[in-house]
Amino acid sequence: MTAPRTPGIPYGGDYNPEQWPDPVWDDDHRLFTQARVDTLTVGVFSWSLTQPGPDTYDFTILDRILDRAAAENRRACLATGTAALPPWLAKRHPEVNRTDFEGRRHRYGQRHNFCPSSPAYRDHATAMAARLAERYADHPALLAWHINNEYGGACYCDLCAEAFRDWLRNEYGTLDVLNDAWWTTFWSHRHTDWAEIEPPNALTEHWRGPDHTAFQGITLDYFRFTTDALLGCFLAEKEVIRAHDPDTPVTTNFMGMFRPLDYHRWAPHLDFASWDSYPPLDAPPTWPALAHDLMRGLKDGAPFWLMEQTPSTTACRDVNPLRRPGELRLATFQAIAHGADAALYFQMRASRGACEKYHGAVIGHAGRDDTRVFREVAGLGGELEALGDVTLGARTPARTALLFDWDSWWALEISDGPSRLVKYQEVVHAYYRAAREAGADVDVVPVTADLTPYDVVLAPVLHMVKGGLAQRLEAVAARGGTVLTTFLSGRVDAHDRAFLTDVPGPLGPLMGVRVDEWDSRPRDFVQHVQLGELTCEARLVFEIVLPRGAEPVGTYGTDFYAGTPAVTRNRFGEGGGEGWYVATALDQPGVDWTVRRILARHDLLGPYADHPALETATRVAPDGTRLLFLLNHAPEPAHLTAHATATDLLTGKRVEEGEPLTLDPLGTAILRGQ
């Protein structure tokens, strides 16, 4: 099953009319019509209203919300509302409340506050989902099911401890296998009874917080267990929905590059992917782009839904900058350029109270339609309505892949040594940014993905190598492709045990190097690396590379390893392929230099690679129509030359090949070739 079929890009967002009296509903729908809003996400936090007591269900308000949406010709993404417990459930069954990392059983409060292993939670959550599905499966407003909300967090209670032991029995079968995987002869940890195993937290294996563990293998498995435990909650709700509604697509909203959960383990169970985009402060445009491409990669390149973004500002951070005029429009078209088939907001009307009352909203507390934010939202709604269905279902024809691996992320950042300062997202983003700013479309894919469509595979900080990945990467190079990996790659197996061979382990033959030593230094220490005519900076980790067939491309400038390789290239196989190894954390110019040489080798540099603020992205519609998105992230106009004759779908203007093409500051063009 795929995303819902719609006549255009669904436009709207999270709507909570249960907080307001009838006259406000009238105003809301009048303004929604004005802004071309056709889709509302409802019921996300409505459990305490729809089930005010253990044996009492009341759908009066939800009936009215959905009936009103249908009467206004709007569709609804209906949530099951199970992300926040009703107070009576926490009081009646205290075990539904989570136990935190320090071992404290919480009392009622906040949201995302349920234990995933609690039978009482599962029973009540699935009962609610079943009742909703039974009641609304045939409702004319229903467009999609939205289970829970932004799953996340871990629990360390006794129920989870027992569920973890069951999960381990299923994974390992015997304690001998488990002891070997966890290397428990270290520090006298050999287990002789499953009951001896404790969840890794502040009371057991950890010190100085969740990233400092005595046994990485145990903590890695608890990440995997937590991912599966929450996935089990999702699947239980989906199953009861399917019993009443076999046809309506089901999703849950992810959070992009969210470390606690391995979304690749969830992906096969979603009918379509969706996510909430709230980029970090001052993030470059490539940061949300990377998250969009990661979400598109969850379902093998199928379009996703942008389930939430703020129309103006967030409220959850210490400082919450405002989106400047034009930035919302640019961010929305960026999402569509990377595969979004829906553009939704949080929130449609600002909450009057509680912690999100200052979060940006399409409609503010005064309910006005003459605010800058509302005018921008309404203007964008008009553009999307005019665009119609031309982008729906379109795919991205990328020839470059970037491997994204939660196991490597976890293993790298909970490791004692070589450096706590290396952050997985930062390194991965640096290589993604280099490829995107050079004009390459990039698929962000799991390590299990089929790599045959790609000429270039970027695999930065591939700390963990498992399955047959090394052989599949060799196959890319054997047919003439290029594989790049970096420092701290090929270090451990699926259980975080070091490979009993030279670094970079199974990647050694492809890279043609051997690493015996590595030097880790503070963040303010700079080592210069010479790359052709470019002298760039490197930091954090400096692996000392011994070429075993590879040729040096860049060399270190100082210390006892001055003049030794920092970047190497290895010819591999009879197809003319190459393996590139980057042994240190190069600065962005160094990463750019390296990645551009690889892309140029495969003729993958884009036509506007010399315009650093101009983003390009290609989508191919189901009918074969090729769409080139041009996104100008600069506050100044972009003066370009058209590389093909095309029509801008947003303005209707035709531009001939070789003619000047100007994009406004923060402007967008969607060019359809002639």
Side-chain angles (χ1 to χ4, degrees), residues 162 164 196 219 252 275 386 390 485 488 548 600-601:
E162 193 54 46
F164 181 45
E196 297 164 357
T219 299
T252 188
W275 83 288
V390 67
T485 193
L488 300 181
R548 290 295 179 266
R601 177 172 178 268

Side-chain angles (χ1 to χ4, degrees), residues 270-557:
L270 303 173
D271 292 332
F272 65 102
S274 65
W275 83 288
D276 304 343
S277 177
Y278 298 100
L281 302 178
D282 302 323
T286 43
W287 192 275
L290 169 56
H292 288 315
D293 286 350
L294 175 64
M295 294 297 102
R296 190 183 73 240
L298 292 179
K299 300 293 290 182
D300 196 26
F304 59 89
W305 274 27
L306 177 62
M307 188 65 82
E308 292 184 17
Q309 66 168 333
T310 179
S312 56
T313 181
T314 56
C316 57
R317 295 160 173 155
D318 290 347
V319 177
N320 299 279
L322 187 63
R323 279 184 155 164
R324 270 51 185 172
E327 290 184 352
L328 169 65
R329 178 178 183 271
L330 182 61
T332 303
F333 279 118
Q334 184 193 40
I336 295 169
H338 285 266
D341 269 4
L344 307 176
Y345 298 107
F346 180 86
Q347 51 192 331
M348 297 305 296
R349 175 177 279 272
S351 175
R352 185 176 186 185
C355 63
E356 289 180 327
K357 65 179 178 296
Y358 295 132
H359 194 288
V362 172
I363 304 169
H365 292 132
R368 305 183 68 91
D369 65 357
D370 59 355
T371 64
R372 178 184 67 83
V373 171
F374 185 84
R375 285 196 299 268
E376 288 200 23
V377 168
L380 181 56
E383 286 190 287
L384 295 180
E385 184 179 75
L387 188 61
D389 64 354
V390 67
T391 63
L392 296 182
R395 296 276 184 147
T396 299
R399 293 166 54 199
T400 300
L402 181 140
L403 300 188
F404 194 100
D405 183 41
W406 264 269
D407 275 340
S408 284
W409 189 357
W410 293 335
L412 178 77
E413 295 189 359
I414 64 173
S415 176
D416 271 346
S419 172
R420 291 276 183 187
L421 301 180
V422 177
K423 299 302 178 188
Y424 181 81
Q425 282 177 290
E426 293 175 2
V427 181
V428 168
H429 172 255
Y431 284 85
Y432 174 84
R433 179 177 186 170
R436 293 289 302 131
E437 290 186 346
D441 288 309
V442 178
D443 281 345
V444 179
V445 299
V447 294
T448 54
D450 177 10
L451 301 178
T452 55
Y454 304 109
D455 297 319
V456 174
V457 177
L458 305 175
V461 279
L462 186 63
H463 197 65
M464 181 181 291
V465 177
K466 54 202 172 186
L469 177 59
Q471 291 71 35
R472 290 190 296 113
L473 290 172
E474 288 180 1
V476 173
R479 57 177 167 77
T482 301
V483 177
L484 176 147
T485 193
T486 71
F487 62 105
L488 300 181
S489 293
R491 294 299 188 109
V492 297
D493 67 9
H495 306 293
D496 201 63
R497 298 174 301 192
F499 289 114
L500 299 179
T501 187
D502 297 321
V503 172
L507 304 178
L510 173 56
M511 294 298 133
V513 300
R514 173 181 135 199
V515 176
D516 292 348
E517 301 175 274
W518 44 89
D519 190 16
S520 174
R521 305 297 294 271
R523 190 179 295 277
D524 58 359
F525 176 81
V526 175
Q527 168 76 268
H528 288 99
V529 170
Q530 196 66 38
L531 291 167
E533 299 298 317
L534 175 70
T535 301
C536 66
E537 296 182 347
R539 288 180 168 81
L540 303 183
V541 173
F542 312 97
E543 293 180 338
I544 301 173
V545 173
L546 304 173
R548 290 295 179 266
E551 59 179 300
V553 174
T555 53
Y556 292 119

Side-chain angles (χ1 to χ4, degrees), residues 36-57:
R36 310 294 202 278
V37 166
D38 59 13
T39 303
L40 301 171
T41 304
V42 300
V44 177
F45 292 108
S46 61
W47 196 351
S48 64
L49 284 179
T50 50
Q51 191 178 8
D55 304 313
T56 305
Y57 292 87

Side-chain angles (χ1 to χ4, degrees), residues 198-266:
E198 298 287 351
N201 63 13
L203 302 179
T204 58
E205 301 295 356
H206 282 250
W207 74 96
R208 291 175 55 196
D211 284 350
H212 291 73
T213 175
F215 280 81
Q216 281 75 21
I218 300 177
T219 299
L220 272 173
D221 274 341
Y222 209 72
F223 281 130
R224 294 162 175 157
F225 158 74
T226 297
T227 292
D228 288 353
L230 288 168
L231 173 59
C233 295
F234 170 85
L235 290 175
E237 290 192 42
K238 184 179 179 183
E239 180 180 1
V240 298
I241 288 173
R242 278 284 168 265
H244 296 283
D245 183 355
D247 301 321
T248 305
V250 175
T251 191
T252 188
N253 50 337
F254 287 158
M255 290 181 281
M257 290 184 286
F258 180 62
R259 199 183 81 161
L261 298 185
D262 181 349
Y263 289 151
H264 287 139
R265 296 169 82 101
W266 286 60

Side-chain angles (χ1 to χ4, degrees), residues 636-655:
E636 303 85 24
H639 299 289
L640 313 170
T641 300
H643 284 259
T645 298
T647 298
D648 182 359
L649 298 181
L650 297 177
T651 64
K653 293 180 180 175
R654 178 183 170 94
V655 60

